[in-house]
Amino acid sequence: PAASGLAEMGAHWIHGPSPGNPVFCLASRYGLLGPEAAREENQQVEAGGHPPMPSVTYGSSGKVLDPKAVREARDLFYALLASTRAFQGSKEPPWPSVGQYLRAEIARTVPTMAGGQEDARQLQLAVLAACLKLECCISGTHSMDLVGLEPFGEYVSLPGLDCTFPGGYSSLAERLLSDLPEGTVLLDKAVRTVQWQGSFREEGDDARVFPVRVECEDGDVFLADHVIITVPLGFLKERHQEFFQPPLPERKAQAIRNLGFGTNNKIFLEFEQPFWEPEQQLLEVVWEDESPLEEPSADLEANWFKKLIGFVVLQPPEQHGHVLCGFIAGKESEHMETLSDAEVLSAMTRVLRTMTG
């Protein structure tokens, strides 16, 4: 059958699909997963949050990099990343951020090699720089220097080989919605204020008293025992003072002010014919002159595309066509949003031509 051209704009994978993952449990129960994802062996794979996809790594010199050298550098990076767990709960971590810690450790462990080994050292540093960019996408941050070292280990990776929904991630939300009584979910109901510490009486004879009153922009009012708020952090930063009555306790307001959030973007490229091998699922890009020990160029205009970690090949091609999904995070990702599709396309074409020679 012809490809349906389905691409996930938002959430893509179930990460760590195993019994401890509520999304996986729901998806299994509703029968929304492919046969591969449901296999027990797949639920037991310990990928440590970095799924092992068959990959190829292109360098900016226009050739595929030596897989052994890439693997060694990557193994070093993941060992250093795992060592951050030691500081969870520590009163005095050695560095404030994950980025500063990793850089200090890289400087310590990647020796300055004499003579002919300088090339090998430079390649190792370039691959480590690429690993850091991938980590920025995973953490949704501009730089790992913005991610606190002490709490970093709180993030737990569940076992299981990451899988996708054949019918799209939205099939889960649709299925959950279909279980609710008709009319339960109201859309286009903007909320003006949440009054959360009162006693509000409903109309009628055997009227109850409720602590919460939610008032909508269109004047409708809902009384409730509890309200669960899941609006984005950006909305809370801008509006929490007038949105909640009374205002939130200072501890919460302070948390809203302190928390940061980043930008993460996908770039979809569709090809008539693939230039990659059928078994390849991840095409990584490494800029061979880069090093995590040097400051990256601040010129976004000229270099934004270097933050791109590479491309995931959408699987299976029968369903998607020949589509690559690139990932990019941080300020470079925000800069990309100001460009036209044609400008993004031309930059991506340039990257691919550079990398494949």
Side-chain angles (χ1 to χ4, degrees):
S4 65
L6 179 74
E8 293 280 18
M9 303 292 283
H12 191 134
W13 289 278
I14 301 180
H15 295 292
S18 50
N21 183 329
V23 174
F24 175 73
C25 293
L26 285 167
S28 306
R29 194 164 86 216
Y30 293 141
L32 300 174
L33 299 174
E36 209 35 31
R39 286 187 24 221
E40 287 214 0
E41 307 82 286
N42 281 9
Q43 298 175 35
Q44 285 154 9
V45 177
E46 286 285 355
H50 297 87
M53 286 181 170
S55 66
V56 55
T57 307
Y58 292 100
S60 45
S61 57
K63 55 185 197 299
V64 171
L65 299 179
D66 171 21
K68 181 169 171 287
V70 171
R71 193 172 55 247
E72 283 172 7
R74 196 181 290 128
D75 288 349
L76 169 65
F77 182 79
Y78 290 143
L80 294 179
L81 203 60
S83 71
T84 60
R85 292 200 174 273
F87 307 113
Q88 200 186 328
S90 151
K91 291 277 173 285
E92 288 179 27
W95 297 94
S97 72
V98 175
Q100 288 160 293
Y101 168 75
L102 290 173
R103 278 208 304 276
E105 288 297 297
I106 288 168
R108 200 172 60 79
T109 49
V110 178
T112 320
M113 299 168 186
Q117 293 303 299
E118 192 45 47
D119 289 356
R121 176 174 191 264
Q122 183 49 54
L123 177 60
Q124 193 167 27
L125 289 171
V127 174
L128 290 166
C131 290
L132 268 170
K133 291 176 198 174
L134 173 57
E135 212 48 46
C136 287
C137 284
I138 293 172
S139 285
T141 182
H142 171 62
S143 159
M144 292 309 287
D145 293 5
L146 300 171
V147 178
L149 176 59
E150 183 276 315
F152 187 62
E154 287 176 21
Y155 188 102
V156 176
S157 298
L158 298 169
L161 273 182
D162 290 5
C163 64
T164 57
F165 288 88
Y169 220 112
S170 55
S171 60
L172 179 64
E174 282 153 14
R175 197 44 224 273
L176 288 169
L177 277 176
S178 71
D179 284 354
L180 295 171
E182 197 66 32
T184 308
V185 175
L186 304 178
L187 301 173
D188 292 322
K189 266 302 205 208
V191 171
R192 182 181 293 135
T193 51
V194 176
Q195 297 165 316
W196 59 282
Q197 266 191 336
S199 39
F200 305 100
R201 190 172 289 282
E202 60 185 354
E203 319 264 302
D205 297 337
D206 50 357
R208 277 185 56 199
V209 170
F210 292 90
V212 181
R213 179 175 184 272
V214 177
E215 191 181 321
C216 298
E217 298 280 5
D218 62 10
D220 281 2
V221 166
F222 298 89
L223 302 186
D225 290 311
H226 298 275
V227 57
I228 297 173
I229 312 266
T230 60
V231 297
L233 180 59
F235 174 88
L236 289 175
K237 281 184 182 294
E238 273 181 19
R239 302 274 303 276
H240 74 88
Q241 264 145 328
E242 62 272 22
F243 189 69
F244 296 101
Q245 292 176 0
L248 294 177
E250 180 49 30
R251 189 173 59 89
K252 293 252 199 259
Q254 190 59 42
I256 290 169
R257 287 194 289 272
N258 287 354
L259 275 168
F261 58 98
T263 304
N264 225 337
N265 272 314
K266 294 179 173 182
I267 304 170
F268 293 103
L269 302 177
E270 186 174 15
F271 295 82
E272 286 176 17
Q273 290 303 323
F275 63 83
W276 56 92
E277 303 299 322
E279 67 281 358
Q280 290 166 353
Q281 291 179 27
L282 177 63
L283 315 179
E284 294 181 295
V285 300
V286 169
W287 298 88
E288 291 169 71
D289 55 348
E290 289 189 348
S291 158
L293 307 177
E294 287 157 28
E295 283 305 303
S297 150
D299 185 354
L300 290 181
E301 196 83 32
N303 292 307
W304 68 269
F305 52 82
K306 291 186 177 176
K307 188 72 163 276
L308 182 89
I309 58 151
F311 299 91
V312 169
V313 180
L314 294 196
Q315 302 287 341
E318 304 77 60
Q319 181 184 343
H320 297 282
H322 306 297
V323 179
L324 298 182
C325 175
F327 289 87
I328 184 169
K331 294 199 167 69
E332 293 84 355
S333 175
E334 288 174 36
H335 177 75
M336 182 193 77
E337 293 182 11
T338 67
L339 304 175
S340 68
D341 283 3
E343 289 170 305
V344 174
L345 184 62
S346 114
M348 291 303 105
T349 306
R350 204 159 69 241
V351 168
L352 290 170
R353 286 188 176 148
T354 303
M355 296 286 162
T356 58

